[in-house]
Amino acid sequence: MSHAKPLGGSIFTPAFMLCLVLFVIGMYFLGVRFMDGMGAVANINGGFPWGIWVVYDVVIGTALACGGYALAITIYVFNKGQYHPLMRAALLASLLGYALGGVGAFIDMGRYWQFYNLLLPWHMNFNAVMLEVGLCVTTYILVLVIEFAPAFLERIGAHGVLKILNKMLFIFIALGILLPTMHQSSLGSFLIAMGYKVAPLWQTVHFQPLLALLTALTMGFSIVIFEASASQVTFDLPDETSLLSKIGKIIVGLLLVYLVVRFGEIILNGKVGYIFAGDKNSLLFLLETLLFIFPVVALLSQKMRQNPRVLLWAAVSMLFAGSLYRFNAFLFTYDPGPGYSYFPSVGEVMVTVGIVAFEIMAYMVMVKMLPVLHKEAHA
């Protein structure tokens, strides 16, 4: 039985109402998209068949939702049960993030009414990287629903069902570790499939899956820190810095591995010149690298990791770094050839903002109604 409790309190706070307004605006543009077609809202074209909906909602959004995945590896693979109090909140964020990532993919489908073909073997393209991603994400959403189900069962007092589920939960925990590992690495393989269209600084045939997985893990741990810090301030919860500082140490280790692989590949393949070319790609690479390096420097010492403000800013830097890495690879430096350009329309941006606003509203409602967060600190 979890010691988490519903926070209670008013649902319709000023923050909730602001998110509601943004959500309604986003839904207006989404309505236009479904009534008048994608071209009425999105600026995508033959050279850029995907835009911000796929890159943010799927490629970046699922990485931002890897908190449950990262903690599951730490708790259940490396037997670090001390992090368990953070697990349910991370699972909720993962569930909302992946579910809305799936919604984003559905929105971006040209023939969305045929989405079910993804699940029909006779219609599957087994040579497509995105098939594996789509199947894994779909299955993982179902796994997250089951993993988070104890919170609902505790709330309604279904202790008999909860007892049965707890005995079977190890199966879904194993799937919850396997599936993100598969589809996050496959997003890296997707870049390999795009070949020369991906800028040299972001293209590597041998290490793309590893880099995608490392950034997903670091973003997952970082979102746990950000979420816990934001919840502490928003809901007046106890300070969890002592526990979060240990996650900061894990982030440093992962980032050091990432930077060694990233720069090792660039040096070995003679691409150092691209870093100092002085063009848009080199500037984006340098900015991205600085955002990756800042958390390493900030969290290298134990004293700095014990500072909640430093810890939060390091996590924010890592989230921006991982997001920029994926934006750069999939969109900002992507070159489909002459004659094509892309810049997101107001409608595209507002649909994405509306989806994020809904995710925030859903999180606020669930932590107030379900046993998700702990009201006492854990060392």
Side-chain angles (χ1 to χ4, degrees):
M1 180 67 68
S2 169
H3 297 290
K5 299 183 183 300
L7 296 181
S10 174
I11 298 294
F12 298 100
T13 61
F16 183 92
M17 297 307 296
L18 174 61
C19 288
L20 182 59
V21 171
L22 295 174
F23 173 69
V24 170
I25 295 172
M27 291 309 97
Y28 164 76
F29 285 105
L30 189 58
V32 174
R33 177 264 178 270
F34 283 116
M35 288 188 295
D36 299 335
M38 194 179 298
V41 175
N43 284 342
I44 58 176
N45 51 60
F48 290 88
W50 59 82
I52 194 172
W53 290 340
V54 167
V55 176
Y56 178 80
D57 296 341
V58 179
V59 177
I60 295 173
T62 57
L64 292 172
C66 276
Y69 166 57
L71 280 185
I73 293 176
T74 307
I75 295 170
Y76 300 112
V77 175
F78 294 100
N79 197 29
K80 302 294 184 181
Q82 59 188 311
Y83 299 107
H84 208 279
L86 302 172
M87 189 65 193
R88 191 167 283 182
L91 282 175
L92 174 58
S94 293
L95 174 58
L96 293 173
Y98 267 93
L100 294 174
V103 170
F106 177 78
I107 293 171
D108 199 70
M109 291 180 186
R111 299 179 180 178
Y112 58 87
W113 57 89
Q114 294 183 337
F115 76 94
Y116 61 86
N117 285 325
L118 175 69
L119 306 176
L120 302 179
W122 51 91
H123 285 154
M124 292 179 180
N125 179 3
F126 292 99
N127 295 318
V129 175
M130 289 307 291
L131 172 65
E132 189 269 346
V133 174
L135 291 176
C136 278
V137 169
T138 303
T139 308
Y140 187 48
I141 291 171
L142 297 176
V143 169
L144 285 169
V145 169
I146 295 170
E147 287 185 315
F148 189 71
F152 290 95
L153 297 176
E154 285 180 22
R155 184 69 176 86
I156 65 176
H159 301 300
V161 179
L162 179 60
K163 187 175 181 181
I164 295 172
L165 178 59
N166 283 336
K167 291 180 179 179
M168 302 173 57
L169 209 53
F170 72 95
I171 299 173
F172 299 102
I173 290 171
L175 286 172
I177 294 173
L178 174 65
L179 292 170
T181 302
M182 292 172 63
H183 70 250
Q184 288 296 336
S185 59
S186 291
L187 287 174
S189 299
F190 188 31
L191 290 174
I192 297 174
M194 293 193 296
Y196 67 89
K197 296 180 181 180
V198 177
L201 286 172
W202 288 269
Q203 182 60 283
T204 166
V205 175
H206 301 292
F207 297 106
Q208 260 334 345
L210 177 59
L211 292 173
L213 192 57
L214 286 171
T215 52
L217 282 169
T218 50
M219 291 171 75
F221 282 119
S222 297
I223 202 69
V224 169
I225 294 176
F226 178 80
E227 177 187 34
S229 301
S231 296
Q232 177 194 338
V233 174
T234 304
F235 304 115
D236 193 25
L237 297 177
D239 187 1
E240 296 277 15
T241 301
S242 60
L243 191 57
L244 298 177
S245 65
K246 298 173 184 177
I247 294 179
K249 188 175 182 180
I250 298 173
I251 291 174
V252 171
L254 287 169
L255 282 177
L256 288 174
V257 174
Y258 165 82
L259 290 170
V260 168
V261 174
R262 186 90 159 92
F263 279 90
E265 185 276 332
I266 289 173
I267 294 170
L268 288 175
N269 288 296
K271 297 189 289 188
V272 177
Y274 291 109
I275 298 176
F276 305 103
D279 57 7
K280 180 191 72 173
N281 290 2
S282 68
L283 293 176
L284 286 172
F285 177 85
L286 291 172
L287 175 59
E288 173 193 307
T289 302
L290 287 174
L291 289 171
F292 274 118
I293 291 175
F294 173 75
V296 176
V297 176
L299 302 178
L300 203 55
S301 71
Q302 183 177 354
K303 181 180 179 181
M304 295 297 284
R305 290 196 299 271
Q306 292 290 340
N307 185 320
R309 183 172 297 180
V310 172
L311 199 61
L312 176 59
W313 278 112
V316 170
S317 179
M318 179 57 236
L319 293 174
F320 275 112
S323 298
L324 184 58
Y325 168 75
R326 295 178 178 225
F327 261 129
N328 284 341
F330 283 88
L331 195 61
F332 292 164
T333 68
Y334 179 77
D335 184 8
Y340 294 108
S341 63
Y342 168 80
F343 191 85
S345 67
V346 172
E348 285 178 276
V349 173
M350 290 313 303
V351 168
T352 298
V353 170
I355 290 175
V356 174
F358 179 82
E359 183 178 356
I360 295 172
M361 287 191 297
Y363 184 89
M364 294 173 69
V365 170
M366 288 191 179
V367 297
K368 291 182 178 181
M369 299 183 66
L370 298 174
V372 176
L373 298 174
H374 291 249
K375 294 187 177 181
E376 59 278 339
H378 296 81

